Amino acid sequence: MDLGISNKVALVLGAGGGLGGAIAQALAAEGAQVAVADIDLDAAQRTAAAVEAAGGKALALQWDLADLGAIEAHIGRIESQLGPVDILVNNTGGPPPTPAGGQDPAAWRKYFDSMVLPVYAITDRVLPGMRERRWGRVITSTSSGVIAPIANLGISNSLRLAIVGWSKTLAREVGKDGITVNIVLPGRIATDRIQFLDEARAKRENRSVASVAEESTASIPAGRYGKPAEYGGVVAFLASQQASYITGSTLRVDGGMIQSI
């Protein structure tokens, strides 16, 4: 299937590896030109190199999302080297495991400033151009914790819900402009982040990492952790011409793990 996004310009945040890297490669495989942004320049360059090795075009950017003052310079560079952004994939890092109660207000502020506010601000920067061209995709990767809160991920569960509410509201505001706005929720996808969370839980519960992973796998109807490429493929489809009637949605890529309807 031709997704109809050849030569579209995509900006993928947090694209140095894991889910973001897989998304960048999936979009590039469909012919999109991809700006690969990550706080770790080496990681961004590795993803960009993988895109180019597969015949795609990529631009690596070192981008600290908490620095809102850098947005204009980064977007300007993308526009001058690739063109205006047609597809924005908001993918931010997660906070460390914590309970919801007893957190220092400074921690809430720190992660709001790095996980939530940049999503709003970067989207606002590229939306006018999308509206002018009457085509655009805003896709935000969050967490299954926004539907079924995950134990000991209090900050993540809470702050990511702010993004879900924003996304649904924005979808209604820009739908008539040919722009879709959607949320994608990963279940347990085999990334370094999931490995880190499994290790943290094993340490907290004085268990082996293997037993934690085995228990988690048993809760997934598909019987395994997902592959990053599977997640990237779903995001690429949401960016496609064929997905033009999907907006304001929250799509689970979880192997059936989330038990609620």
Side-chain angles (χ1 to χ4, degrees):
M1 179 187 294
D2 179 2
L3 298 187
I5 56 174
S6 181
N7 294 319
K8 295 288 188 185
V9 175
L11 166 57
V12 183
L13 306 179
L19 298 181
I23 292 166
Q25 292 182 64
L27 291 168
E30 293 296 326
Q33 303 177 74
V34 186
V36 177
D38 200 279
I39 194 170
D40 182 339
L41 180 58
D42 288 341
Q45 289 175 333
R46 284 194 296 271
T47 298
V51 166
E52 292 175 345
K57 184 173 182 180
L59 170 65
L61 299 168
Q62 184 175 26
W63 194 332
D64 179 357
L65 297 181
D67 182 4
L68 300 185
I71 292 175
E72 188 58 40
H74 287 312
I75 298 295
R77 185 178 172 193
I78 294 167
E79 290 174 338
S80 66
Q81 295 191 34
L82 300 179
V85 174
D86 302 298
I87 300 164
L88 172 62
V89 181
N90 293 308
N91 175 53
T92 66
T98 60
Q103 298 305 311
D104 188 321
W108 290 103
R109 171 61 67 183
K110 174 183 177 180
Y111 291 108
F112 181 84
D113 286 350
S114 63
M115 290 173 52
V116 180
L117 196 55
V119 169
Y120 302 164
I122 294 169
T123 303
D124 281 347
R125 172 58 179 80
V126 301
L127 269 179
M130 292 180 179
R131 280 178 147 156
E132 183 178 340
R133 297 186 300 278
R134 301 198 61 78
W135 198 97
R137 302 287 185 263
V138 178
I139 304 164
T140 305
S141 178
T142 59
S143 163
S144 62
V146 303
I147 292 179
I150 301 169
N152 209 48
L153 286 183
I155 292 178
S156 176
N157 296 335
S158 304
L159 294 185
R160 293 188 195 277
L161 272 167
I163 295 174
V164 175
W166 161 85
S167 181
K168 182 67 172 179
T169 306
L170 184 64
R172 295 184 64 86
E173 295 174 357
V174 301
K176 291 182 179 179
D177 299 318
I179 301 167
T180 66
V181 185
N182 291 293
I183 293 285
V184 188
L185 307 180
R188 299 194 71 76
I189 310 295
T191 63
D192 289 344
R193 169 73 173 172
I194 290 297
Q195 178 69 20
F196 167 75
L197 293 176
D198 282 354
E199 290 172 353
R201 182 182 172 192
K203 182 177 181 180
R204 190 169 65 248
E205 298 178 0
N206 195 27
R207 300 168 56 188
S208 69
V209 176
S211 71
V212 169
E214 183 178 355
E215 183 178 296
S216 294
T217 300
S219 71
I220 303 170
R224 61 178 176 85
Y225 283 12
K227 301 173 184 177
E230 293 173 313
Y231 192 79
V234 172
V235 174
F237 176 74
L238 281 178
S240 72
Q241 300 285 3
Q242 290 88 338
S244 60
Y245 204 57
I246 302 173
T247 194
S249 294
T250 300
L251 181 61
R252 311 172 188 193
V253 187
D254 67 345
M257 180 189 73
I258 301 172
Q259 294 188 17
S260 65
I261 295 173

